[in-house]
């Protein structure tokens, strides 16, 4: 085994003794193999790496078409490795000392406007209110409208929404507890319009003959299990098409969660409050909605300002 490989293995062992998880170590191993392989092909050794060498390595990664996240991770590995080599006396200097972390661009989520959201929800309610349809179909549409209202008024994840207990209705639109990611509880709101839609759904389900004492949302014909996520995704997509939305293929239950957060932010809600409602551990995750709001403002100016199209 070469001296470079021995040093790299020693660094990995030092990480393993610390807090790095097994999966992280395996990922670092792959990144190290890539880096050491490039050094070998270029006739370089770890001890002789310069800042210019590092620039060449990252240029090689970009030319190979690696994803931005992969390049960012391999950049971080190189920075950490050379910092350790210098700190442990295995190198006279740290060529990566001036190497800044690569800031990853963040994908701004697709979000419906308030008008589009209202058209989407109104379409779902109109289907449930159509008395020309049979009871089974009306009940199915009413369940759909109630679930959509619940997601939009609370910002719940779809997994949380479809597994709501029937007891939620006892809150009459107040705040209630749900158990989300990591088995953590949080309080979310339920608006009066959502409660009204839920009561209609339950009433029609009872008229059809099946109403679950356990689950709020379930099959019209079977109350033993909650509505599936796949059924909810299908219902959202179909309703988006019937509402005539411009990009129905991009509308999903999660888009209603995005709409909840973005519309609150647009109306002046505090970012920390939105973080709590969404159940985000890191405020940075919630901050993506500030970018959504900024993008929408720019789009509005470009559409409506007299010089926007010039």
């Amino acid at each position: 085994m070469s001296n470079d490989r021995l040093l790299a293995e020693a660094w990995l062992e030092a990480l393993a003794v610390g807090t790095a998880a097994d999966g992280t170590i395996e990922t670092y191993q792959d990144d190290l193999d890539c880096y050491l392989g490039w050094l070998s092909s270029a006739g370089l050794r770890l001890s002789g790496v310069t800042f210019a060498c590092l620039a060449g390595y990252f240029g090689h990664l970009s030319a190979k078409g690696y994803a931005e996240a992969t390049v960012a991770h391999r950049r971080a590995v190189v920075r950490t490795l050379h910092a350790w080599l210098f700190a442990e006396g295995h190198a006279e200097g740290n060529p990566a000392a001036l190497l800044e972390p690569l800031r990853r661009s963040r994908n701004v989520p697709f979000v419906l406007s308030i008008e589009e959201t209202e058209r989407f929800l109104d379409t779902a309610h109109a289907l449930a209110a159509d008395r020309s349809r049979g009871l089974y179909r009306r009940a199915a549409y009413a369940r759909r409208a109630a679930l959509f209202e619940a997601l939009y008024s609370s910002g719940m994840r779809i997994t949380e929404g479809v597994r709501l207990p029937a007891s939620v209705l006892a809150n009459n639109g107040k705040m209630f507890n749900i158990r989300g990611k990591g088995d953590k509880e949080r309080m979310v709101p339920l608006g009066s319009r959502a409660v009204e839609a839920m009561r209609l759904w339950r009433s029609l389900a009872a008229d059809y003959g099946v109403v679950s004492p356990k689950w709020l949302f379930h099959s019209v014909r079977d109350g033993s299990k909650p509505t599936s996520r796949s059924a909810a995704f299908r219902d959202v997509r179909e309703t988006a098409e019937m509402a005539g939305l411009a990009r129905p293929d991009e509308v999903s239950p999660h888009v209603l969660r995005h709409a909840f957060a973005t519309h609150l932010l647009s109306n002046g809600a505090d970012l920390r409050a939105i973080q709590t409602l969404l159940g985000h551990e890191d405020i940075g995750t919630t901050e993506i909605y500030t970018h959504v709001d900024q993008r929408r403002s720019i789009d509005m100016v470009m559409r409506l300002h007299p010089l926007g199209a010039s």
Side-chain angles (χ1 to χ4, degrees), residues 171-295:
N171 292 280
N172 293 318
K174 307 297 183 182
M175 300 287 286
F176 66 97
N177 272 317
I178 61 171
R179 193 173 296 277
K181 275 188 175 181
D183 205 34
K184 294 182 179 179
E185 287 191 352
R186 72 181 189 278
M187 295 285 288
V188 296
L190 195 62
S192 58
R193 179 164 157 163
V195 172
E196 183 180 346
M198 289 175 179
R199 293 197 184 284
L200 176 61
W201 145 241
R202 298 284 284 184
S203 174
L204 291 174
D207 289 345
Y208 189 79
V210 178
V211 60
S212 172
K214 181 177 181 180
W215 303 110
L216 179 59
F217 299 114
H218 55 82
S219 167
V220 178
R221 293 193 177 99
D222 182 4
S224 64
K225 296 184 296 184
T227 300
S228 67
R229 293 176 74 256
S230 59
F233 272 83
R234 183 178 62 248
D235 288 348
V236 167
R237 187 69 51 80
E238 181 179 303
T239 305
E241 292 176 350
M242 298 178 77
L245 298 186
R247 296 154 65 181
D249 289 346
E250 296 186 49
V251 183
S252 69
H254 210 67
V255 166
L256 294 177
R257 178 170 159 90
H258 292 324
F260 164 83
T262 308
H263 298 167
L264 278 179
L265 188 64
S266 297
N267 286 318
D270 178 74
L271 195 63
R272 287 286 182 184
I274 296 174
Q275 176 193 4
T276 300
L277 292 170
L278 292 176
H280 288 161
E281 289 194 12
D282 184 359
I283 188 66
T285 305
T286 317
E287 284 176 345
I288 190 64
Y289 296 108
T290 65
H291 299 294
V292 173
D293 201 39
Q294 290 168 4
R295 185 189 67 183

Side-chain angles (χ1 to χ4, degrees), residues 98-237:
L98 299 178
L99 195 64
E100 292 292 329
L102 185 63
R103 296 186 177 275
R104 293 172 58 187
S105 61
R106 306 186 67 180
N107 293 326
V108 178
F110 170 67
V111 176
L112 298 174
S113 68
I114 294 177
E115 294 75 19
E116 288 172 325
T117 304
E118 289 178 347
R119 192 189 336 155
F120 172 82
L121 293 173
D122 287 346
T123 298
H125 286 296
L127 291 169
D130 185 355
R131 293 184 175 276
S132 67
R133 302 178 185 275
L135 180 57
Y136 171 82
R137 182 53 56 190
R138 284 189 64 206
Y141 282 136
R143 181 195 65 200
R144 179 184 298 193
L147 177 59
F148 297 168
E149 288 284 0
L151 295 175
Y152 179 57
S153 72
S154 66
M156 286 183 290
R157 300 176 179 90
I158 182 56
T159 303
E160 298 164 346
V162 295
R163 297 187 66 84
L164 285 177
S167 59
V168 163
L169 276 175
N171 292 280
N172 293 318
K174 307 297 183 182
M175 300 287 286
F176 66 97
N177 272 317
I178 61 171
R179 193 173 296 277
K181 275 188 175 181
D183 205 34
K184 294 182 179 179
E185 287 191 352
R186 72 181 189 278
M187 295 285 288
V188 296
L190 195 62
S192 58
R193 179 164 157 163
V195 172
E196 183 180 346
M198 289 175 179
R199 293 197 184 284
L200 176 61
W201 145 241
R202 298 284 284 184
S203 174
L204 291 174
D207 289 345
Y208 189 79
V210 178
V211 60
S212 172
K214 181 177 181 180
W215 303 110
L216 179 59
F217 299 114
H218 55 82
S219 167
V220 178
R221 293 193 177 99
D222 182 4
S224 64
K225 296 184 296 184
T227 300
S228 67
R229 293 176 74 256
S230 59
F233 272 83
R234 183 178 62 248
D235 288 348
V236 167
R237 187 69 51 80

